[in-house]
Amino acid sequence: MSKTNKKTPGRPRSAKSHQAILRATLELLGEVGFDTMSIEAISARAGVGKTTIYRRYSSKEELVADAIESIRQDVVIPDTGNLWSDIDELIENAAQISLSPLGRQTVAMIISSASSNSQFAQIYWTKYLQPRREAFAVVIERAKMRNEMQTDLDSGLIFDSMSGIMLYALIFPPQTESWSEYVRRALHLLFQGALSQSQSE
Amino acid sequence: MSKTNKKTPGRPRSAKSHQAILRATLELLGEVGFDTMSIEAISARAGVGKTTIYRRYSSKEELVADAIESIRQDVVIPDTGNLWSDIDELIENAAQISLSPLGRQTVAMIISSASSNSQFAQIYWTKYLQPRREAFAVVIERAKMRNEMQTDLDSGLIFDSMSGIMLYALIFPPQTESWSEYVRRALHLLFQGALSQSQSE
DNA sequence: TTATTACGATACGATACTGTTTCGTAATTT
DNA sequence: AAATTACGAAACAGTATCGTATCGTAATAA
């Protein structure tokens, strides 16, 4: 029912144009942000007619949602055998994604829309954060089994706190150290209480 | 050298108009956000001519910065004699400010500008967060003196972590409990590690 | 009173984007 | 070959905002 079934007559939609549109959308989103970005600018950069975009998407929201969707990365579940090594991997992973212009603008979009309509925030939560939150639960579970953590802690709450700290560091970048180092230090503070008493360092 | 020295000839600028402009700016900022907000709309709502605004401010950024500046609240330093009571007060205070539409839009503005130009983020940091960060250091210092906390902890880092958690909860509001309750729970997790061993609850 | 500045209103040209339509051409199915 | 659909380009009317300029009026200082 997918590619093999080419029953529609007429010229098919160009996959090349489609890719170009998504690419241009992401680039502009990162450069100027959602509000400032115009359909005209997207079509110009993609080298396609405005019509081609309007034929595919009926709103900018729809287009951007699809563009972001198209680059969704696989969820990583680190398993180094040690909690802090796992966390370091997560930090590096988060750094790559969220320190990019696109990452910043995505976050900005979510927040500004969060007050009036919660569309983007909902989508982002469900499609991006939720799976990672669940993957993180596995990491925590392993740490508990290795006796690195207290067993009664809420992994979801830990994930949220970690995310919050990272988000804050994204907006107000540390002056005297790198983002990763700063986040690592903050998470260490967070986990001090989460660690078993035997694991004081 | 201020009001008493009325040496300039001609009609003075209307303080009433000035107030109306700032008020309208804040209202619209909360309602539609920075990008969507037009000078025309502000002047219309304030009941003043566009000219009057352009005479005072040369850019929207300048106007908004002044408007936000005008409602800057005094820094609160709670001193209840108990760390958790102090923190509860801070949470309630933060809830009032940041859960409002204006608070949300302010945060959104800072984040979206953080990537291209860091103007707002810088201003917000210097004028808003920095003083509160320092005030919080006092709260922590008192807690240390009461022996409620380890003495070697970095109060700035704790403040940043708290802010991050609050920010995250602002964007992705908890579904099953109130914002304040959720934040309180997260901060409890954070402070578990910060508390002295004798103060396990 | 006179000079000076601010006021609100309105008009202005300029720019930019919207979403639609029309056009001749290209690609694909039947 | 014929029918059908998509393509990019261009023109379109409509809307919105920009920042400036001009107006007659109001308020204040010298």
Side-chain angles (χ1 to χ4, degrees):
Chain A
M1 154 152 102
S2 53
K3 294 163 194 169
T4 52
N5 198 355
K6 299 178 177 179
K7 61 183 170 191
T8 58
R11 178 177 178 173
R13 293 195 175 167
S14 160
K16 201 173 152 192
S17 293
H18 206 82
Q19 287 310 111
I21 291 168
L22 294 182
R23 180 193 177 86
T25 302
L26 292 173
E27 283 179 10
L28 281 168
L29 182 59
E31 286 170 28
V32 303
F34 182 79
D35 288 320
T36 311
M37 179 177 56
S38 74
I39 303 286
E40 287 217 346
I42 295 169
S43 78
R45 179 169 304 203
V48 307
K50 266 202 300 183
T51 335
T52 306
I53 294 181
Y54 280 114
R55 200 176 289 122
R56 288 168 164 75
Y57 305 97
S58 56
S59 72
K60 197 157 72 170
E61 284 79 5
E62 214 178 287
L63 166 57
V64 170
D66 194 37
I68 291 177
E69 169 79 15
S70 74
I71 52 161
R72 205 177 63 210
Q73 307 209 4
D74 286 342
V75 178
V76 191
I77 308 184
D79 188 11
T80 61
N82 172 274
L83 175 60
W84 271 104
S85 307
D86 285 355
I87 288 179
D88 278 338
E89 272 197 29
L90 289 175
I91 292 176
E92 285 315 312
N93 194 258
Q96 278 185 13
I97 297 168
S98 49
L99 288 180
S100 73
L102 180 60
R104 289 196 130 103
Q105 292 294 351
T106 306
V107 172
M109 222 170 52
I110 291 159
I111 293 170
S112 62
S113 75
S115 67
S116 48
N117 69 55
S118 53
Q119 269 187 12
F120 279 125
Q122 282 289 356
I123 292 172
Y124 189 77
W125 170 259
T126 307
K127 299 217 165 173
Y128 190 87
L129 285 178
Q130 188 78 11
R132 278 159 184 77
R133 204 173 191 250
E134 280 158 16
F136 184 71
V138 176
V139 174
I140 293 296
E141 204 49 50
R142 291 206 187 104
K144 283 179 182 171
M145 294 215 284
R146 284 191 303 265
N147 226 25
E148 290 180 299
M149 291 183 60
Q150 297 167 27
T151 53
D152 60 344
L153 290 172
D154 178 353
S155 74
L157 192 62
I158 298 174
F159 178 83
D160 292 347
S161 301
M162 284 176 57
S163 305
I165 289 167
M166 291 184 189
L167 176 61
Y168 183 86
L170 180 63
I171 303 169
F172 305 106
Q175 305 291 333
T176 56
E177 57 194 327
S178 77
W179 187 85
S180 297
E181 280 168 1
Y182 173 84
V183 168
R184 199 176 187 283
R185 210 154 59 82
L187 293 192
H188 201 267
L189 168 66
L190 175 65
F191 274 87
Q192 283 287 58
L195 293 170
S196 307
Q197 305 297 28
S198 56
Q199 310 272 107
S200 65
E201 171 60 17
Chain B
M1 154 142 110
S2 51
K3 293 162 194 170
T4 52
N5 196 355
K6 299 179 179 180
K7 61 181 166 189
T8 57
R11 179 177 179 174
R13 293 196 175 168
S14 162
K16 201 172 152 193
S17 294
H18 206 82
Q19 287 309 112
I21 290 168
L22 294 182
R23 181 195 176 84
T25 301
L26 291 173
E27 285 179 8
L28 281 169
L29 183 57
E31 286 171 27
V32 304
F34 181 78
D35 288 320
T36 311
M37 180 176 56
S38 73
I39 305 286
E40 289 216 348
I42 296 170
S43 78
R45 179 168 306 200
V48 307
K50 265 201 300 183
T51 334
T52 307
I53 295 181
Y54 280 113
R55 200 175 289 121
R56 288 168 163 77
Y57 305 96
S58 57
S59 71
K60 197 158 71 171
E61 284 79 6
E62 216 179 285
L63 166 57
V64 169
D66 194 38
I68 291 178
E69 168 80 14
S70 76
I71 51 160
R72 204 177 63 210
Q73 306 211 5
D74 287 342
V75 179
V76 190
I77 307 185
D79 188 11
T80 61
N82 172 274
L83 175 60
W84 270 103
S85 307
D86 285 356
I87 288 179
D88 278 338
E89 272 197 30
L90 289 174
I91 292 176
E92 286 314 312
N93 195 259
Q96 276 184 14
I97 296 168
S98 50
L99 288 180
S100 73
L102 180 60
R104 289 195 129 102
Q105 292 294 352
T106 306
V107 172
M109 221 168 54
I110 291 158
I111 293 170
S112 63
S113 75
S115 67
S116 48
N117 69 56
S118 54
Q119 270 187 9
F120 279 125
Q122 281 290 357
I123 292 173
Y124 189 78
W125 170 260
T126 308
K127 299 219 165 174
Y128 189 88
L129 285 178
Q130 187 79 8
R132 278 160 183 76
R133 204 172 189 253
E134 280 158 15
F136 184 71
V138 177
V139 174
I140 292 296
E141 205 49 50
R142 291 208 186 104
K144 284 179 181 171
M145 294 214 286
R146 283 192 303 265
N147 225 27
E148 289 180 299
M149 290 182 61
Q150 298 167 26
T151 52
D152 60 343
L153 289 172
D154 177 353
S155 74
L157 193 62
I158 298 175
F159 178 84
D160 293 347
S161 302
M162 283 176 57
S163 304
I165 289 167
M166 290 184 189
L167 177 61
Y168 183 86
L170 179 62
I171 303 168
F172 305 106
Q175 305 291 331
T176 56
E177 57 194 326
S178 77
W179 188 84
S180 297
E181 281 168 2
Y182 173 83
V183 168
R184 199 176 187 283
R185 209 153 60 83
L187 293 192
H188 200 267
L189 168 65
L190 176 64
F191 274 87
Q192 284 287 56
L195 293 170
S196 306
Q197 305 297 26
S198 56
Q199 308 272 106
S200 67
E201 169 60 16

